[in-house]
Amino acid sequence: MSRRRPGPAARMLRWFGRVRRTLRFRITLVATLVVGVALTFAAGALVEIEQRLADADLDLLLNDDLDAVSAELFAGATAATAAEQADRSTRIVVETTGDTVRRDWDLDQQERRRLDADDIRRVDRSLVVDGELVELVAERSTESARGPGGRAAKGAFGAVPFVTALVAVVVWRSVGRAQRPVEQLRAAADVLADSGIDHRLGRPGTGDEVDRLAATLNSMLDQLADADARQRRLIADAAHELRSPLAGLRARLETAGSAPDDLDQVRRLQDLVDSLLLLSRSDAGQLRHQDQLVDLDEIVEEAILGLGPVDVGLDVTGVTPQQARGDQHLLGRIVTTLLDNAIRHADGAVRVTTTADDDGGV
């Protein structure tokens, strides 16, 4: 029964769950939010500035119309004649003590019904003509002052989401490209963890911070490799120097018939020195081993004979003829170490068995 492939929504959620913890995602999110908020405020400020400029232009036009009407009134013209001097887009009201003249603007009925108080700009003026108080009112629709600049200002709000999305894409790609050398360093570090400190990190060669970081890490690896080499040489030299004195000491103790405990301690020291030498060769990559078919039961018997007298009982009835592939000398050292640890920590007896499975001998 085949597994059902997840849908696009499930794949998108899974992808988001992976990337939302990354530094790339956090940088992109912060940059997008900052740019989005800044563009929104900038668009709002642009609309506000455009509206103020348009209102100022309307006030100038309305005052020009009132100046023309006032001049006609002072020249002795009637209120109706003076009102005709204003622009046809301006509504003029001339109110005197005994009469009120209204000259409407050139707008159809549908347009007039659409306008409200916020869509009308008004300027009032009071005059005294021949001893009579005259009130003048000039009104004009704000739509008449909305030119290309006003439409562009309002269009800025509509462009904010698109510009913000574009910034998010650019930042995402730019951060990804900037992080590519870091990802290469991380991949090289993974290889280093598997291959050992002899491996070195590749330098991007860009001369930037990542390139200098790679150089510093390689220098640190050089120092670690040098210290590791010195440590291995020290262990190998110490093991070589101790083997001969211990062999001579063991021979003298065996010849003199010394106590079994003394011989056991010397034998343990010899095993420890041999193990140190073996470990040093293995770390240095100088350990050569043969891959051949060996008898596990014979290796166990030789290891038990090499132990000498022990204080616990050894049950070897489970040792049956079994074969496995490997190096006979190294396998012998492994079995000897296992037996030595078992005898040292056993309460009363140690049971040894050999079996076979799919991977070899046990």
Side-chain angles (χ1 to χ4, degrees):
M1 185 175 180
S2 60
R3 296 180 59 186
R4 184 179 178 183
R5 295 185 60 185
R11 290 197 297 269
M12 181 63 70
L13 288 176
R14 188 177 302 172
W15 174 84
F16 180 76
R18 290 196 306 268
V19 303
R20 69 186 180 88
R21 299 183 181 90
T22 62
L23 180 62
R24 182 182 185 183
F25 176 79
R26 293 197 295 269
I27 292 176
T28 303
L29 179 62
V30 172
T32 304
L33 289 177
V34 171
V35 171
V37 172
L39 289 177
T40 302
F41 276 106
L46 183 62
V47 171
E48 180 67 20
I49 291 173
E50 189 278 333
Q51 184 174 354
R52 289 178 180 271
L53 291 176
D55 291 342
D57 290 339
L58 274 180
D59 289 343
L60 288 176
L61 293 176
L62 293 174
N63 279 290
D64 288 342
D65 289 335
L66 291 181
D67 289 342
V69 173
S70 299
E72 287 295 315
L73 290 174
F74 284 122
T78 62
T81 302
E84 294 298 326
Q85 302 304 312
D87 189 270
R88 299 304 302 177
S89 298
T90 303
R91 178 184 182 185
I92 292 295
V93 178
V94 182
E95 184 177 354
T96 61
T97 305
D99 191 15
T100 299
V101 175
R102 299 179 183 273
R103 201 216 62 188
D104 212 345
W105 45 36
D106 291 340
L107 293 175
D108 56 28
Q109 295 298 324
Q110 182 179 2
E111 184 70 13
R112 294 177 188 180
R113 287 194 299 268
R114 188 181 65 84
L115 297 175
D116 54 26
D118 294 334
D119 297 322
I120 299 175
R121 192 72 177 173
R122 172 174 173 161
V123 174
D124 298 308
R125 183 180 295 182
S126 298
L127 302 175
V128 177
V129 180
D130 296 332
E132 184 180 14
L133 180 64
V134 180
E135 298 288 344
L136 301 180
V137 177
E139 296 177 338
R140 183 177 287 207
S141 168
T142 57
E143 294 293 332
S144 62
R146 296 291 188 262
R151 292 190 293 270
K154 291 185 176 180
F157 270 114
V160 168
F162 299 101
V163 176
T164 303
L166 178 62
V167 169
V169 173
V170 172
V171 173
W172 178 266
R173 294 179 63 87
S174 300
V175 174
R177 183 172 299 178
Q179 285 186 321
R180 195 172 301 162
V182 179
E183 179 62 22
Q184 292 173 353
L185 283 180
R186 187 201 62 77
D190 287 341
V191 175
L192 177 66
D194 296 332
S195 61
I197 59 177
D198 292 334
H199 182 75
R200 292 297 177 268
L201 303 175
R203 294 184 59 179
T206 54
D208 56 6
E209 293 84 352
V210 177
D211 186 65
R212 293 196 296 272
L213 174 62
T216 302
L217 292 177
N218 284 334
S219 176
M220 180 185 68
L221 290 174
D222 290 336
Q223 296 177 9
L224 290 175
D226 183 62
D228 184 66
R230 289 198 303 269
Q231 182 180 8
R232 287 199 299 265
R233 286 196 300 268
L234 175 63
I235 294 175
D237 292 343
H240 277 296
E241 293 296 329
L242 290 173
R243 292 184 74 182
S244 296
L246 286 175
L249 178 60
R250 180 174 179 178
R252 286 195 296 271
L253 290 175
E254 291 176 344
T255 303
S258 300
D261 291 341
D262 296 335
L263 287 173
D264 184 62
Q265 294 298 326
V266 173
R267 182 183 60 80
R268 290 182 185 275
L269 285 175
Q270 282 186 307
D271 290 340
L272 177 60
V273 170
D274 290 340
S275 298
L276 287 175
L277 186 59
L278 186 66
L279 178 63
S280 176
R281 291 175 179 174
S282 176
D283 290 340
Q286 301 174 353
L287 187 61
R288 297 179 180 179
H289 58 86
Q290 298 178 351
D291 188 12
Q292 59 186 3
L293 201 61
V294 297
D295 295 319
L296 285 181
D297 52 316
E298 294 182 1
I299 292 176
V300 172
E301 291 175 0
E302 291 178 1
I304 293 175
L305 291 176
L307 291 175
V310 294
D311 297 333
V312 298
L314 280 176
D315 181 5
V316 294
T317 56
V319 178
T320 58
Q322 301 293 341
Q323 288 187 325
R325 299 199 65 85
D327 186 283
Q328 184 166 357
H329 174 68
L330 296 180
L331 288 174
R333 291 203 59 81
I334 293 174
V335 173
T336 300
T337 302
L338 289 174
L339 288 174
D340 185 65
N341 290 333
I343 292 171
R344 186 181 308 171
H345 299 286
D347 292 333
V350 173
R351 183 166 58 90
V352 184
T353 60
T354 56
T355 57
D357 60 10
D358 296 335
D359 297 328
V362 180

PDB file of all heavy atoms in Angstrom, residues 303-326:
ATOM      1  N   ALA A 303      44.120 -16.868  24.731  1.00  0.00           N
ATOM      2  CA  ALA A 303      43.970 -15.757  25.668  1.00  0.00           C
ATOM      3  C   ALA A 303      43.822 -16.261  27.097  1.00  0.00           C
ATOM      4  O   ALA A 303      44.382 -15.677  28.040  1.00  0.00           O
ATOM      5  CB  ALA A 303      42.750 -14.907  25.274  1.00  0.00           C
ATOM      6  N   ILE A 304      43.084 -17.379  27.283  1.00  0.00           N
ATOM      7  CA  ILE A 304      42.925 -17.928  28.637  1.00  0.00           C
ATOM      8  C   ILE A 304      44.242 -18.473  29.163  1.00  0.00           C
ATOM      9  O   ILE A 304      44.598 -18.278  30.340  1.00  0.00           O
ATOM     10  CB  ILE A 304      41.836 -19.019  28.625  1.00  0.00           C
ATOM     11  CG1 ILE A 304      40.467 -18.377  28.342  1.00  0.00           C
ATOM     12  CG2 ILE A 304      41.800 -19.765  29.948  1.00  0.00           C
ATOM     13  CD1 ILE A 304      39.348 -19.385  28.191  1.00  0.00           C
ATOM     14  N   LEU A 305      45.016 -19.119  28.305  1.00  0.00           N
ATOM     15  CA  LEU A 305      46.326 -19.632  28.733  1.00  0.00           C
ATOM     16  C   LEU A 305      47.262 -18.498  29.107  1.00  0.00           C
ATOM     17  O   LEU A 305      48.076 -18.619  30.033  1.00  0.00           O
ATOM     18  CB  LEU A 305      46.939 -20.481  27.621  1.00  0.00           C
ATOM     19  CG  LEU A 305      46.243 -21.823  27.334  1.00  0.00           C
ATOM     20  CD1 LEU A 305      46.889 -22.514  26.132  1.00  0.00           C
ATOM     21  CD2 LEU A 305      46.322 -22.729  28.572  1.00  0.00           C
ATOM     22  N   GLY A 306      47.161 -17.371  28.383  1.00  0.00           N
ATOM     23  CA  GLY A 306      48.035 -16.247  28.688  1.00  0.00           C
ATOM     24  C   GLY A 306      47.685 -15.533  29.968  1.00  0.00           C
ATOM     25  O   GLY A 306      48.486 -14.752  30.487  1.00  0.00           O
ATOM     26  N   LEU A 307      46.470 -15.771  30.503  1.00  0.00           N
ATOM     27  CA  LEU A 307      46.085 -15.111  31.742  1.00  0.00           C
ATOM     28  C   LEU A 307      46.829 -15.643  32.949  1.00  0.00           C
ATOM     29  O   LEU A 307      47.055 -14.918  33.930  1.00  0.00           O
ATOM     30  CB  LEU A 307      44.576 -15.267  31.970  1.00  0.00           C
ATOM     31  CG  LEU A 307      43.648 -14.509  31.008  1.00  0.00           C
ATOM     32  CD1 LEU A 307      42.203 -14.860  31.286  1.00  0.00           C
ATOM     33  CD2 LEU A 307      43.853 -12.997  31.143  1.00  0.00           C
ATOM     34  N   GLY A 308      47.187 -16.920  32.920  1.00  0.00           N
ATOM     35  CA  GLY A 308      47.822 -17.517  34.090  1.00  0.00           C
ATOM     36  C   GLY A 308      46.805 -17.821  35.162  1.00  0.00           C
ATOM     37  O   GLY A 308      45.591 -17.859  34.916  1.00  0.00           O
ATOM     38  N   PRO A 309      47.233 -17.994  36.394  1.00  0.00           N
ATOM     39  CA  PRO A 309      46.302 -18.294  37.496  1.00  0.00           C
ATOM     40  C   PRO A 309      45.370 -17.118  37.773  1.00  0.00           C
ATOM     41  O   PRO A 309      45.796 -15.964  37.784  1.00  0.00           O
ATOM     42  CB  PRO A 309      47.225 -18.563  38.684  1.00  0.00           C
ATOM     43  CG  PRO A 309      48.564 -18.849  38.092  1.00  0.00           C
ATOM     44  CD  PRO A 309      48.661 -18.048  36.835  1.00  0.00           C
ATOM     45  N   VAL A 310      44.091 -17.439  37.994  1.00  0.00           N
ATOM     46  CA  VAL A 310      43.101 -16.400  38.283  1.00  0.00           C
ATOM     47  C   VAL A 310      42.355 -16.781  39.554  1.00  0.00           C
ATOM     48  O   VAL A 310      42.324 -17.952  39.944  1.00  0.00           O
ATOM     49  CB  VAL A 310      42.119 -16.212  37.107  1.00  0.00           C
ATOM     50  CG1 VAL A 310      42.848 -15.671  35.880  1.00  0.00           C
ATOM     51  CG2 VAL A 310      41.420 -17.521  36.776  1.00  0.00           C
ATOM     52  N   ASP A 311      41.738 -15.784  40.201  1.00  0.00           N
ATOM     53  CA  ASP A 311      41.051 -16.000  41.479  1.00  0.00           C
ATOM     54  C   ASP A 311      39.591 -16.391  41.302  1.00  0.00           C
ATOM     55  O   ASP A 311      38.913 -16.660  42.289  1.00  0.00           O
ATOM     56  CB  ASP A 311      41.125 -14.728  42.333  1.00  0.00           C
ATOM     57  CG  ASP A 311      42.569 -14.392  42.689  1.00  0.00           C
ATOM     58  OD1 ASP A 311      43.388 -15.330  42.747  1.00  0.00           O
ATOM     59  OD2 ASP A 311      42.855 -13.198  42.914  1.00  0.00           O
ATOM     60  N   VAL A 312      39.072 -16.378  40.082  1.00  0.00           N
ATOM     61  CA  VAL A 312      37.665 -16.719  39.847  1.00  0.00           C
ATOM     62  C   VAL A 312      37.608 -17.940  38.941  1.00  0.00           C
ATOM     63  O   VAL A 312      38.592 -18.308  38.284  1.00  0.00           O
ATOM     64  CB  VAL A 312      36.907 -15.542  39.198  1.00  0.00           C
ATOM     65  CG1 VAL A 312      36.902 -14.332  40.123  1.00  0.00           C
ATOM     66  CG2 VAL A 312      37.508 -15.186  37.852  1.00  0.00           C
ATOM     67  N   GLY A 313      36.459 -18.575  38.937  1.00  0.00           N
ATOM     68  CA  GLY A 313      36.295 -19.743  38.086  1.00  0.00           C
ATOM     69  C   GLY A 313      36.024 -19.353  36.645  1.00  0.00           C
ATOM     70  O   GLY A 313      35.333 -18.367  36.364  1.00  0.00           O
ATOM     71  N   LEU A 314      36.585 -20.105  35.715  1.00  0.00           N
ATOM     72  CA  LEU A 314      36.398 -19.857  34.286  1.00  0.00           C
ATOM     73  C   LEU A 314      35.594 -21.009  33.693  1.00  0.00           C
ATOM     74  O   LEU A 314      36.018 -22.166  33.731  1.00  0.00           O
ATOM     75  CB  LEU A 314      37.749 -19.746  33.562  1.00  0.00           C
ATOM     76  CG  LEU A 314      38.479 -18.411  33.680  1.00  0.00           C
ATOM     77  CD1 LEU A 314      39.843 -18.494  33.005  1.00  0.00           C
ATOM     78  CD2 LEU A 314      37.663 -17.303  33.044  1.00  0.00           C
ATOM     79  N   ASP A 315      34.438 -20.696  33.145  1.00  0.00           N
ATOM     80  CA  ASP A 315      33.585 -21.711  32.514  1.00  0.00           C
ATOM     81  C   ASP A 315      33.736 -21.572  31.007  1.00  0.00           C
ATOM     82  O   ASP A 315      33.263 -20.605  30.400  1.00  0.00           O
ATOM     83  CB  ASP A 315      32.133 -21.491  32.933  1.00  0.00           C
ATOM     84  CG  ASP A 315      31.206 -22.532  32.328  1.00  0.00           C
ATOM     85  OD1 ASP A 315      31.709 -23.467  31.662  1.00  0.00           O
ATOM     86  OD2 ASP A 315      29.974 -22.399  32.502  1.00  0.00           O
ATOM     87  N   VAL A 316      34.415 -22.529  30.370  1.00  0.00           N
ATOM     88  CA  VAL A 316      34.671 -22.475  28.932  1.00  0.00           C
ATOM     89  C   VAL A 316      33.904 -23.575  28.198  1.00  0.00           C
ATOM     90  O   VAL A 316      34.232 -23.912  27.048  1.00  0.00           O
ATOM     91  CB  VAL A 316      36.181 -22.589  28.647  1.00  0.00           C
ATOM     92  CG1 VAL A 316      36.908 -21.376  29.189  1.00  0.00           C
ATOM     93  CG2 VAL A 316      36.750 -23.875  29.236  1.00  0.00           C
ATOM     94  N   THR A 317      32.890 -24.128  28.839  1.00  0.00           N
ATOM     95  CA  THR A 317      32.131 -25.202  28.187  1.00  0.00           C
ATOM     96  C   THR A 317      31.337 -24.681  26.991  1.00  0.00           C
ATOM     97  O   THR A 317      30.954 -25.450  26.102  1.00  0.00           O
ATOM     98  CB  THR A 317      31.172 -25.844  29.189  1.00  0.00           C
ATOM     99  OG1 THR A 317      30.317 -24.823  29.747  1.00  0.00           O
ATOM    100  CG2 THR A 317      31.943 -26.514  30.326  1.00  0.00           C
ATOM    101  N   GLY A 318      31.090 -23.363  26.961  1.00  0.00           N
ATOM    102  CA  GLY A 318      30.339 -22.798  25.839  1.00  0.00           C
ATOM    103  C   GLY A 318      31.194 -22.410  24.657  1.00  0.00           C
ATOM    104  O   GLY A 318      30.679 -21.854  23.675  1.00  0.00           O
ATOM    105  N   VAL A 319      32.501 -22.655  24.745  1.00  0.00           N
ATOM    106  CA  VAL A 319      33.398 -22.321  23.634  1.00  0.00           C
ATOM    107  C   VAL A 319      33.325 -23.441  22.606  1.00  0.00           C
ATOM    108  O   VAL A 319      33.744 -24.572  22.862  1.00  0.00           O
ATOM    109  CB  VAL A 319      34.839 -22.117  24.129  1.00  0.00           C
ATOM    110  CG1 VAL A 319      35.755 -21.827  22.944  1.00  0.00           C
ATOM    111  CG2 VAL A 319      34.894 -20.985  25.143  1.00  0.00           C
ATOM    112  N   THR A 320      32.758 -23.128  21.446  1.00  0.00           N
ATOM    113  CA  THR A 320      32.629 -24.108  20.362  1.00  0.00           C
ATOM    114  C   THR A 320      33.401 -23.608  19.150  1.00  0.00           C
ATOM    115  O   THR A 320      33.658 -22.405  19.015  1.00  0.00           O
ATOM    116  CB  THR A 320      31.153 -24.304  20.001  1.00  0.00           C
ATOM    117  OG1 THR A 320      30.601 -23.030  19.612  1.00  0.00           O
ATOM    118  CG2 THR A 320      30.371 -24.856  21.178  1.00  0.00           C
ATOM    119  N   PRO A 321      33.817 -24.488  18.257  1.00  0.00           N
ATOM    120  CA  PRO A 321      34.568 -24.056  17.062  1.00  0.00           C
ATOM    121  C   PRO A 321      33.759 -23.079  16.211  1.00  0.00           C
ATOM    122  O   PRO A 321      32.661 -23.400  15.741  1.00  0.00           O
ATOM    123  CB  PRO A 321      34.816 -25.371  16.319  1.00  0.00           C
ATOM    124  CG  PRO A 321      34.749 -26.427  17.359  1.00  0.00           C
ATOM    125  CD  PRO A 321      33.710 -25.973  18.339  1.00  0.00           C
ATOM    126  N   GLN A 322      34.287 -21.893  16.076  1.00  0.00           N
ATOM    127  CA  GLN A 322      33.663 -20.846  15.260  1.00  0.00           C
ATOM    128  C   GLN A 322      34.753 -20.121  14.496  1.00  0.00           C
ATOM    129  O   GLN A 322      35.894 -20.013  14.956  1.00  0.00           O
ATOM    130  CB  GLN A 322      32.903 -19.829  16.136  1.00  0.00           C
ATOM    131  CG  GLN A 322      31.806 -20.418  16.989  1.00  0.00           C
ATOM    132  CD  GLN A 322      30.659 -20.946  16.171  1.00  0.00           C
ATOM    133  OE1 GLN A 322      30.494 -20.574  15.006  1.00  0.00           O
ATOM    134  NE2 GLN A 322      29.874 -21.848  16.764  1.00  0.00           N
ATOM    135  N   GLN A 323      34.411 -19.615  13.317  1.00  0.00           N
ATOM    136  CA  GLN A 323      35.360 -18.886  12.487  1.00  0.00           C
ATOM    137  C   GLN A 323      34.805 -17.496  12.152  1.00  0.00           C
ATOM    138  O   GLN A 323      33.599 -17.293  12.087  1.00  0.00           O
ATOM    139  CB  GLN A 323      35.656 -19.655  11.194  1.00  0.00           C
ATOM    140  CG  GLN A 323      36.510 -20.899  11.400  1.00  0.00           C
ATOM    141  CD  GLN A 323      36.918 -21.517  10.080  1.00  0.00           C
ATOM    142  OE1 GLN A 323      36.154 -21.501   9.115  1.00  0.00           O
ATOM    143  NE2 GLN A 323      38.136 -22.068  10.032  1.00  0.00           N
ATOM    144  N   ALA A 324      35.755 -16.570  11.952  1.00  0.00           N
ATOM    145  CA  ALA A 324      35.397 -15.206  11.570  1.00  0.00           C
ATOM    146  C   ALA A 324      36.560 -14.612  10.786  1.00  0.00           C
ATOM    147  O   ALA A 324      37.683 -15.132  10.825  1.00  0.00           O
ATOM    148  CB  ALA A 324      35.093 -14.341  12.799  1.00  0.00           C
ATOM    149  N   ARG A 325      36.303 -13.528  10.088  1.00  0.00           N
ATOM    150  CA  ARG A 325      37.360 -12.868   9.321  1.00  0.00           C
ATOM    151  C   ARG A 325      37.920 -11.716  10.149  1.00  0.00           C
ATOM    152  O   ARG A 325      37.183 -10.947  10.779  1.00  0.00           O
ATOM    153  CB  ARG A 325      36.819 -12.335   8.000  1.00  0.00           C
ATOM    154  CG  ARG A 325      36.253 -13.407   7.074  1.00  0.00           C
ATOM    155  CD  ARG A 325      36.164 -12.907   5.651  1.00  0.00           C
ATOM    156  NE  ARG A 325      37.480 -12.633   5.093  1.00  0.00           N
ATOM    157  CZ  ARG A 325      38.266 -13.551   4.511  1.00  0.00           C
ATOM    158  NH1 ARG A 325      37.854 -14.822   4.432  1.00  0.00           N
ATOM    159  NH2 ARG A 325      39.444 -13.213   4.029  1.00  0.00           N
ATOM    160  N   GLY A 326      39.246 -11.560  10.139  1.00  0.00           N
ATOM    161  CA  GLY A 326      39.898 -10.484  10.866  1.00  0.00           C
ATOM    162  C   GLY A 326      41.368 -10.754  11.035  1.00  0.00           C
ATOM    163  O   GLY A 326      41.935 -11.684  10.443  1.00  0.00           O
TER     164      GLY A 326
END
